[in-house]
Amino acid sequence: MSDVKSKDGEGWFYSEKVKDHFFNPRNILKTKKEADEYSKEADGEGEVGSPACGDVMKIWIKVKDDKIMECKYQTFGCASAIASTSIFSTMVIGSKIEKALRITPKDIVHVLGGLPANKFHCSVLADQAFKKAVEDYRKNQ
Ligand code: FES
């Protein structure tokens, strides 16, 4: 574990889990081409921007029998946003939609083993984009 200094000199602590999911993000779509292709076959998509930092998160889901079968994403966000959404995707895949909707940003941060306080908003992107993807899926039913 390391304690990296932020620009303003405050300590930033990243857990091993954050680092693992940042360096090896699960279910991420890395290129525009991958995202374009996946968006054609996904059942729902949601996009949000963070008022706190201006970063953007896009999530796609595939659903079968009310269960999240796949959850992929693309983000122009920071390391914490990537780690949060990576772990979030592993939490929702295989869950019923209603159960997945009950996962909060606080739960994401807890499973990650914590995030620096000024990075909490990064975990909110996953939650909000996922909710929009579910809304989009339901609209098309
Ligand atoms: Fe923008 Fe983390 S700082 S998502």
Side-chain angles (χ1 to χ4, degrees):
M1 294 201 199
S2 67
D3 189 8
V4 180
K5 293 286 177 200
S6 66
K7 272 188 263 167
D8 59 11
E10 272 180 45
W12 281 357
F13 171 80
Y14 289 108
S15 70
E16 288 303 321
K17 217 157 200 179
V18 171
K19 286 189 266 181
D20 174 29
H21 279 267
F22 171 58
F23 289 119
N24 304 292
R26 321 314 193 253
N27 302 304
I28 196 168
L29 296 169
K30 288 190 178 142
T31 64
K32 183 176 177 328
K33 188 170 177 263
E34 272 181 353
D36 287 347
E37 275 166 20
Y38 195 75
S39 75
K40 287 182 207 148
E41 53 188 73
D43 298 317
E45 79 175 53
E47 181 176 338
V48 288
S50 167
C53 66
D55 288 335
V56 175
M57 173 70 64
K58 207 162 178 178
I59 286 186
W60 292 269
I61 52 172
K62 283 190 187 176
V63 180
K64 193 174 178 208
D65 298 333
D66 220 29
K67 203 186 232 189
I68 306 294
M69 305 307 288
E70 289 184 22
C71 174
K72 294 191 185 274
Y73 56 94
Q74 190 173 49
T75 184
F76 302 102
C78 68
S80 301
I82 292 170
S84 296
T85 315
S86 172
I87 204 143
F88 177 79
S89 70
T90 66
M91 291 161 79
V92 298
I93 292 170
S95 283
K96 289 282 187 188
I97 290 178
E98 283 312 317
K99 190 174 171 211
L101 284 172
R102 286 199 294 273
I103 297 171
T104 65
K106 229 175 163 179
D107 297 328
I108 298 171
V109 172
H110 178 73
V111 177
L112 277 176
L115 277 180
N118 59 351
K119 290 282 168 181
F120 185 81
H121 72 271
C122 315
S123 63
V124 174
L125 288 180
D127 172 63
Q128 290 183 342
F130 177 74
K131 285 190 172 117
K132 282 198 170 182
V134 170
E135 262 173 45
D136 184 49
Y137 161 71
R138 286 181 168 163
K139 239 181 11 214
N140 299 323
Q141 292 311 291

